[in-house]
Amino acid sequence: MGKYILVTGSSRGIGEETALYLAKSGFNIVLHCNSNLEKANILKEKVKSFGIDARVLQFDIKNRKQCFDVLTKDISENGIYYGVVLNAGIAKDNVFPVMEENEWDDVIDTNLGGFYNVLKPVVMPMIEQRIKGRIVAMSSVSGLAGNRGQVNYSASKAGIIGAVKALSLELAKRGITVNCVAPGVIETDMLKDIPVDEIKKIIPMKRLGQAKEVASLVNYLMSEDASYITGQVISVNGGLYR
């Protein structure tokens, strides 16, 4: 049976497009959702239509025990993953002087805490089974350059970059690569309340990015051709924040 890749937050947006792109490349997909199980199951059937295997896991990446229990059980029953795409995350934007405690805690605990919660049950089995696997974490241009109204989000995404660089050093001798993708402004449903026309003016390419353009990079980083690339942060941003 082929290689399995876990894609967190795969029921919509970049995560959904990434799961589909990887499936078309022949990878079996372990989909993940927190609440939208119905949509995840619809995506599962679409993925399976490509002739590969797919299943859905439901858990909250902020909940450490739930992550451990669900992932440990899945690995025990179905085997370890070849790759993990850490895509799930949230944003709760507000200017810092009036940012509420829960807005800070929820974003940090989900985006940065989720890095630990998801990878902790997964990495040691990869090492023990000598799998020369792939880990890709989704950061953001906000983690590279900061953004007004996103002190919490920028902190969480910058933290992911630091975590990726450190973990890549620890796992390099095992042949496991760890990289970071930092999308710019990507056309997804998360932009529905954002003044897109104004944003386009500050992007050198004068357009929004497409989820497929992020997914194709993740697909490459999961490939055998990318076996000597690790600890890197690659931004898909149309020239924004070079």
Side-chain angles (χ1 to χ4, degrees):
M1 190 165 290
K3 297 173 179 177
Y4 282 80
I5 295 178
L6 169 67
V7 183
T8 67
S10 49
S11 62
R12 64 174 186 160
I14 292 173
E16 178 180 7
E17 191 65 41
T18 297
L20 290 171
Y21 207 109
L22 292 168
K24 290 174 185 177
S25 293
F27 291 108
N28 297 308
I29 307 298
V30 182
L31 301 163
H32 159 262
C33 68
N34 181 18
S35 57
N36 202 339
L37 184 59
E38 181 180 1
K39 188 169 183 183
N41 279 321
I42 291 172
L43 180 60
K44 179 184 74 172
E45 296 307 315
K46 188 172 182 179
V47 167
K48 291 178 76 172
S49 72
F50 300 136
I52 54 91
D53 189 31
R55 61 181 181 271
V56 176
L57 300 181
Q58 184 175 20
F59 57 88
D60 181 359
I61 65 168
K62 187 172 67 172
N63 187 320
R64 186 164 298 162
K65 184 178 186 305
Q66 194 177 77
C67 287
F68 181 85
D69 290 345
V70 172
L71 291 169
T72 300
K73 182 175 185 290
D74 188 57
I75 290 169
S76 175
E77 293 177 351
N78 299 293
I80 187 59
Y81 317 125
Y82 160 78
V84 181
V85 181
L86 298 165
N87 171 75
I90 63 169
K92 292 189 175 182
D93 296 351
N94 206 348
V95 291
F96 188 77
V98 296
M99 182 175 289
E100 300 290 341
E101 290 181 2
N102 70 294
E103 292 173 328
W104 176 269
D105 292 341
D106 286 350
V107 171
I108 297 296
D109 293 346
T110 301
N111 297 355
L112 188 53
F115 180 96
Y116 178 90
N117 298 341
V118 173
L119 287 184
K120 188 62 168 64
V122 172
V123 168
M124 187 55 76
M126 292 176 77
I127 293 172
E128 291 174 343
Q129 295 188 29
R130 301 179 183 276
I131 292 176
K132 294 184 178 181
R134 305 281 186 267
I135 296 169
V136 175
M138 208 65 68
S139 181
S140 167
V141 292
S142 293
L144 290 168
N147 195 24
R148 291 183 181 88
Q150 289 193 321
V151 174
N152 51 358
Y153 186 76
S154 294
S156 70
K157 293 300 187 177
I160 286 173
I161 291 172
V164 160
K165 288 183 174 292
L167 185 59
S168 70
L169 296 176
E170 295 182 7
L171 298 182
K173 65 181 179 182
R174 309 287 184 176
I176 301 171
T177 68
V178 189
N179 289 290
C180 197
V181 174
V185 187
I186 307 299
E187 190 171 1
T188 68
D189 57 6
M190 291 183 69
L191 297 183
K192 60 184 178 181
D193 298 321
I194 295 176
V196 171
D197 290 337
E198 292 301 312
I199 291 174
K200 287 180 182 178
K201 294 177 182 178
I202 64 172
I203 300 173
M205 284 191 172
K206 304 302 180 186
R207 69 171 178 88
L208 303 182
Q210 299 299 307
K212 184 177 181 179
E213 293 172 308
V214 180
S216 64
L217 174 58
V218 176
N219 183 69
Y220 171 68
L221 292 173
M222 287 286 162
S223 72
E224 292 293 335
D225 290 342
S227 62
Y228 202 55
I229 300 173
T230 195
Q232 302 305 303
V233 182
I234 306 174
S235 194
V236 184
N237 62 23
L240 185 66
Y241 305 139
R242 289 172 292 169

